[in-house]
Amino acid sequence: MTTSQSASTPEPARVRLRPTMQSDLEYVLSLEQDPENLPYITPWEKMQHEAAIRFPDFRHFIIEAGPGLERAGFLILIGCRNQHACIELKRMVVQNKGRGYGHAAVRVVKKIAFDDLGAHRFWLDVKMRNTRAQALYVKEGFVQEGVLREAVRVSDGFDSLVVMSMLAGEYAQRRSQALELQQ
C-alpha cells in the first residue's frame, strides 16, 4: 500500500507499509529505545515483537518512505481477527518527525483496517503528554472517546491515556470528501 504526494499537503513522495521481517527487529527495537520516542511509548521486548510478526491477530509493518522507500518507522495492529470488527492501532513510531510520514502512514493503515480487514471501529490510545500524536490523529479524523486517567507508569510518575477512534461510516464519509485514500 502506498500514498503519493499531493500539491496541497507536505507528505513525502511515497509511503508504503510492508510486513515486518525478523531481520527488521533490531531496527524496531532501536526506534523504541530512541530517547526521542521513549517518553511516548511503552517498549516491548524482542520476543513480543516476534510474536506480533507471527500471530494472525496482529499485523506488524515497517513504514517505508521517501523516494528510495527507506525504513522510516513501524506500526502494529491488534485485533485483526476480532469478532467485533474492532481493530487497534497499538503502536506507531516514526523515525524522522516533521516530514509527513506519520500522516501518510496513518492514511495507509486506515485503508488497510477498513478496506482490507473489514474494521467497523479503528481505535488507539495515546499518552496524554504526546500532544503531537494527538494532533495528528485528530487531523486524520479520529475522535476522542475519553481518558484513562493515570493509566501508565512513566519515569516521573503516571500518565493518562487518551482513547481515540474512527468508525467505518466516518471513514466512508471522509473518503467521499477526498480526505482518505481512494479504493
Side-chain angles (χ1 to χ4, degrees):
M1 299 258 153
T2 62
T3 185
S4 296
Q5 181 176 7
S6 72
S8 63
T9 63
E11 293 175 18
R14 294 179 73 189
V15 167
R16 178 173 68 189
L17 301 183
R18 68 161 171 82
T20 302
M21 308 292 287
Q22 184 77 25
S23 59
D24 293 311
L25 290 184
E26 291 306 319
Y27 170 74
V28 167
L29 294 170
S30 73
L31 286 182
E32 286 189 330
Q33 293 300 321
D34 185 320
E36 188 175 349
N37 300 322
L38 209 47
Y40 305 113
I41 62 169
T42 303
W44 280 2
E45 299 291 328
K46 184 175 184 179
M47 187 180 348
Q48 290 172 287
H49 285 287
E50 289 171 339
I53 290 171
R54 292 186 178 98
F55 192 56
D57 196 46
F58 287 66
R59 297 291 187 279
H60 201 301
F61 292 105
I62 294 293
I63 301 167
E64 296 178 322
L69 291 173
E70 300 297 323
R71 292 188 300 196
F74 75 96
L75 62 83
I76 304 167
L77 298 178
I78 297 178
C80 299
R81 293 186 170 188
N82 181 292
Q83 67 178 346
H84 305 291
C86 185
I87 297 174
E88 176 185 3
L89 176 56
K90 178 63 178 173
R91 177 158 312 138
M92 182 173 79
V93 178
V94 176
Q95 185 171 2
N96 296 310
K97 282 102 172 119
R99 296 184 181 181
Y101 298 157
H103 281 282
V106 168
R107 288 191 186 137
V108 174
V109 79
K110 284 187 291 185
K111 186 174 187 329
I112 291 170
F114 289 110
D115 293 346
D116 300 344
L117 299 173
H120 168 71
R121 179 174 178 266
F122 188 38
W123 73 281
L124 58 94
D125 60 52
V126 58
K127 287 183 179 178
M128 182 76 75
R129 64 181 62 193
N130 195 349
T131 55
R132 181 182 200 140
Q134 289 176 55
L136 179 152
Y137 296 128
V138 166
K139 186 172 180 183
E140 288 300 324
F142 285 83
V143 175
Q144 181 176 331
E145 293 183 340
V147 175
L148 303 174
R149 299 178 316 138
E150 297 187 6
V152 292
R153 188 180 300 274
V154 293
S155 62
D156 59 350
F158 289 89
D159 198 359
S160 298
L161 295 174
V162 177
V163 179
M164 307 177 87
S165 73
M166 179 180 288
L167 302 177
E170 295 163 343
Y171 179 73
Q173 183 177 17
R174 285 177 56 85
R175 179 177 270 162
S176 73
Q177 298 168 347
L179 297 172
E180 300 293 346
L181 299 176
Q182 299 302 310
Q183 291 181 333

